Amino acid sequence: MKDIKVELRNIIKEFPARRDDVPVRAVDNVSMEIYDGEFFAMLGPSGCGKTTTLRLIAGFEQPTSGEILLDGQMMQGIPAFQRPVNTVFQDYALFPHMTVLQNVMFGLQMENVQRKEAQDRALETLDLVQLPQAARRKPNELSGGQQQRVALARALVKRPSVLLLDEPLGALDLKLRREMQFELKAMQQQLGITFIYVTHDQEEALTMANRIAVMDGGHVLQIGRPDEIYESPATRFVADFIGETNFLQGELVQRNGGIGQVNFNGDTLLEAMLEDVDPIRGQEVTVAIRPEKIILLPYNPQANKPAGMNLLQGHIQQKHYIGTDTRYIVRVGKDADLIVRVQNTNYDHSNDFKNRDVVNVLWDKHNARILTE
């Protein structure tokens, strides 16, 4: 059984009312367990409560109600500087008048660590983030990626039990951000420190995290491994926020174990997985299917539906070549469109589908999910 490093129990955080004397509830009854040594991401749109939750763990804010535990110890009333955590912010907050080495040493000196020991630990940490050559330089002499590493070194040098990261790559360009994602993940695995990472970037969370908590409106909607979140979303919001998803509306007409049958467009039965939902017959439901799970074939009116597959007829509405794959918009039924992504495995695209082509659209029932909210 994994050791729990950080535990949140029914956390509520309210801020003073802006109008109408109604307080703003930024975090609403959030509970989660974060394990020792894992890379845990809190993912969601702006205003979903993820940064407030991180600040509550750090001790910069106090919960209105609920409990926060670090290593099994209650954190109520313990100020931020006495908690075994450290935080890396998006803006890095480096001191411009200090050298890189002085920036990294600063926290140790505030704790009255002897200068020689502080310098040795700072140099050791700069070596860890691959910046030993920058020790005597000022922050404004460094690139954005190097400044991010210095901020990371300043947090790691104090040997925190938990490292909190509040969108630390947000200021970097796309290419550098992707490079730093892999570097951060490798560093976390090397150190074995628990990382709690806040981001609104789905790809960032999927790339780095062992587990992800998807948040919206102050609530945690789902916690799971990246593949669980992506392949088996618990709600329509999660399915829509993580990657790209198609949604088809229909009525549940029958269920057989873990498979449901949905009447789509009045004349077609679609089959999809029932996971963690319990709709009743006749209920309006949503069938969710990822674009890359769909197969396009030239239209064949005599085509029989393969076992375990769904089959629809469609018309190509739009086609977009985007390098790694081609993205099609396919009209199925009266007013429903499906996004389909086809991997570009051949250099010759002369046989690609064109606008207004009629096609057969297929997908495996196990790749689709029935959602009720």
Side-chain angles (χ1 to χ4, degrees):
M1 185 176 179
K2 296 179 180 178
D3 293 331
I4 298 172
K5 195 71 175 177
V6 180
E7 184 176 2
L8 278 63
R9 298 176 180 170
N10 307 113
I11 293 296
I12 292 174
K13 176 60 181 178
E14 293 181 339
F15 291 100
R18 295 175 184 167
R19 61 185 68 155
D20 301 328
D21 295 323
V22 178
V24 177
R25 183 166 288 193
V27 179
D28 193 356
N29 199 34
V30 165
S31 296
M32 63 177 74
E33 295 177 348
I34 301 168
Y35 302 126
D36 186 22
E38 82 169 327
F39 199 125
F40 188 90
M42 288 189 282
L43 172 67
S46 297
C48 73
K50 57 188 186 295
T51 293
T52 301
T53 303
L54 196 79
R55 290 176 61 83
L56 289 166
I57 297 171
F60 300 139
E61 304 282 354
Q62 294 298 317
T64 305
S65 65
E67 299 173 334
I68 298 173
L69 292 81
L70 294 176
D71 287 320
Q73 180 184 356
M74 293 286 189
M75 289 292 108
Q76 276 80 344
I78 298 179
F81 69 89
Q82 290 183 354
R83 299 189 183 193
V85 304
N86 220 329
T87 307
V88 179
F89 300 100
Q90 181 176 342
D91 62 2
Y92 311 141
L94 300 176
F95 299 117
H97 62 286
M98 293 184 180
T99 65
V100 166
L101 181 61
Q102 289 169 337
N103 266 280
V104 177
M105 291 173 58
F106 181 79
L108 297 177
Q109 291 178 315
M110 291 299 97
E111 295 179 348
N112 296 317
V113 176
Q114 292 294 321
R115 180 174 178 79
K116 178 66 168 61
E117 181 185 349
Q119 181 170 305
D120 289 346
R121 283 170 58 178
L123 289 170
E124 178 184 322
T125 309
L126 283 173
D127 189 55
L128 175 67
V129 299
Q130 301 176 21
L131 277 180
Q133 75 285 355
R136 306 299 173 187
R137 295 161 67 183
K138 296 287 182 66
N140 62 6
E141 300 176 58
L142 306 178
S143 67
Q146 289 172 325
Q147 290 181 32
Q148 195 274 342
R149 287 196 188 101
V150 174
L152 189 63
R154 188 174 61 184
L156 290 172
V157 75
K158 295 178 68 174
R159 300 170 184 168
S161 180
V162 178
L163 187 65
L164 309 175
L165 302 104
D166 188 6
E167 305 207 42
L169 307 183
L172 305 181
D173 63 64
L174 179 61
K175 185 174 185 230
L176 182 55
R177 188 161 71 243
R178 286 178 172 169
E179 290 175 0
M180 289 303 301
Q181 288 171 11
F182 293 107
E183 287 191 23
L184 268 178
K185 178 63 177 177
M187 196 177 301
Q188 187 269 336
Q189 290 175 331
Q190 178 183 349
L191 294 169
I193 294 175
T194 302
F195 277 27
I196 304 177
Y197 193 98
V198 159
T199 182
H200 65 273
D201 187 316
Q202 304 95 322
E203 180 182 317
E204 203 163 81
L206 291 170
T207 298
M208 295 192 291
N210 301 116
R211 288 190 306 141
I212 300 170
V214 182
M215 300 183 67
D216 185 48
H219 299 275
V220 172
L221 303 183
Q222 187 173 0
I223 298 177
R225 300 189 314 268
D227 61 303
E228 292 173 332
I229 297 287
Y230 186 84
E231 301 288 353
S232 302
T235 69
R236 179 166 179 150
F237 178 88
V238 174
D240 198 28
F241 189 74
I242 307 291
E244 199 169 33
T245 311
N246 294 296
F247 300 106
L248 297 174
Q249 305 298 125
E251 178 184 299
L252 184 74
V253 296
Q254 187 175 332
R255 53 189 305 162
N256 182 16
I259 299 293
Q261 290 186 334
V262 177
N263 187 334
F264 168 68
N265 206 36
D267 59 3
T268 303
L269 283 182
L270 301 178
E271 293 187 304
M273 298 287 289
L274 290 162
E275 291 186 344
D276 301 321
V277 294
D278 190 26
I280 60 174
R281 188 172 179 177
Q283 182 176 340
E284 285 292 316
V285 296
T286 301
V287 176
I289 175 71
R290 298 286 186 184
E292 72 276 8
K293 309 289 188 184
I294 301 174
I295 301 167
L296 291 185
L297 295 175
Y299 176 62
N300 178 2
Q302 277 78 46
N304 293 319
K305 184 174 72 170
M309 301 287 284
N310 293 290
L311 173 63
L312 293 174
Q313 177 184 330
H315 296 77
I316 303 294
Q317 301 293 303
Q318 297 179 40
K319 170 187 174 182
H320 305 104
Y321 175 81
I322 51 178
T324 57
D325 53 89
T326 298
R327 185 177 186 269
Y328 295 97
I329 307 296
V330 184
R331 175 64 52 86
V332 292
K334 297 173 184 176
D335 56 1
D337 288 340
L338 288 177
I339 301 168
V340 183
R341 302 191 74 140
V342 179
Q343 193 77 22
N344 291 326
T345 55
N346 299 316
Y347 76 93
D348 182 3
H349 297 276
S350 59
N351 293 324
D352 286 359
F353 296 106
K354 300 173 177 59
N355 287 350
R356 294 185 295 279
D357 280 356
V358 184
V359 293
N360 284 346
V361 183
L362 301 95
W363 67 88
D364 191 304
K365 66 183 179 183
H366 296 98
N367 287 330
R369 300 288 179 273
I370 292 176
L371 303 175
T372 57
E373 60 176 307

